[in-house]
Amino acid sequence: PRWGKAFAIPNGGLRNIVVAKKLKAEGVRAGTPDIFIPVPAGPYCGMFLEMKKRKGGSVSQEQYEFFRGVQMDYFTAIGHGAQHAIELVLTYFALGRHVA
């Protein structure tokens, strides 16, 4: 049930210049992580997850800046491959539901 609330943020990938300009005008922003889980856990309001295909995948300066800007309120993580990402999400959910 909680997994069903997660959604991908289609921010990355190569695009032609016309599409890139249109997306930027719509609010697409460099550095935004790939996945957001809008479920509170522990002291966090939700989880942002940046996906990398393998260990050692580089994180951009914009991604680091995004994480620094939200880490007080949101759990942030970088998943190096699918199995690692699953482990991170399970770690997040293990924090328990947030109680205000």
Side-chain angles (χ1 to χ4, degrees), residues 34-46:
D34 298 311
I35 298 171
F36 179 61
I37 302 173
V39 176
Y44 301 105
C45 299

Side-chain angles (χ1 to χ4, degrees), residues 15-77:
R15 298 181 171 92
N16 71 49
I17 191 70
V18 173
V19 172
K21 285 182 178 183
K22 181 179 178 191
L23 290 172
K24 186 174 183 176
E26 291 174 356
V28 169
R29 193 180 107 159
T32 303
D34 298 311
I35 298 171
F36 179 61
I37 302 173
V39 176
Y44 301 105
C45 299
M47 177 181 183
F48 282 102
L49 178 62
E50 173 63 25
M51 293 297 302
K52 298 299 175 189
K53 291 181 183 177
R54 57 182 163 64
K55 188 169 182 158
S58 63
V59 176
S60 71
Q61 184 63 34
E62 291 89 355
Q63 289 167 331
Y64 278 121
E65 289 172 10
F66 183 96
F67 277 0
R68 276 196 301 270
V70 301
Q71 65 187 359
M72 294 271 303
D73 298 316
Y74 295 91
F75 187 90
T76 59

Side-chain angles (χ1 to χ4, degrees), residues 6 13 34 43 57 60 80 85 91-92 94 99:
D34 298 311
S60 71
H80 296 279
T91 297
Y92 174 68
V99 179

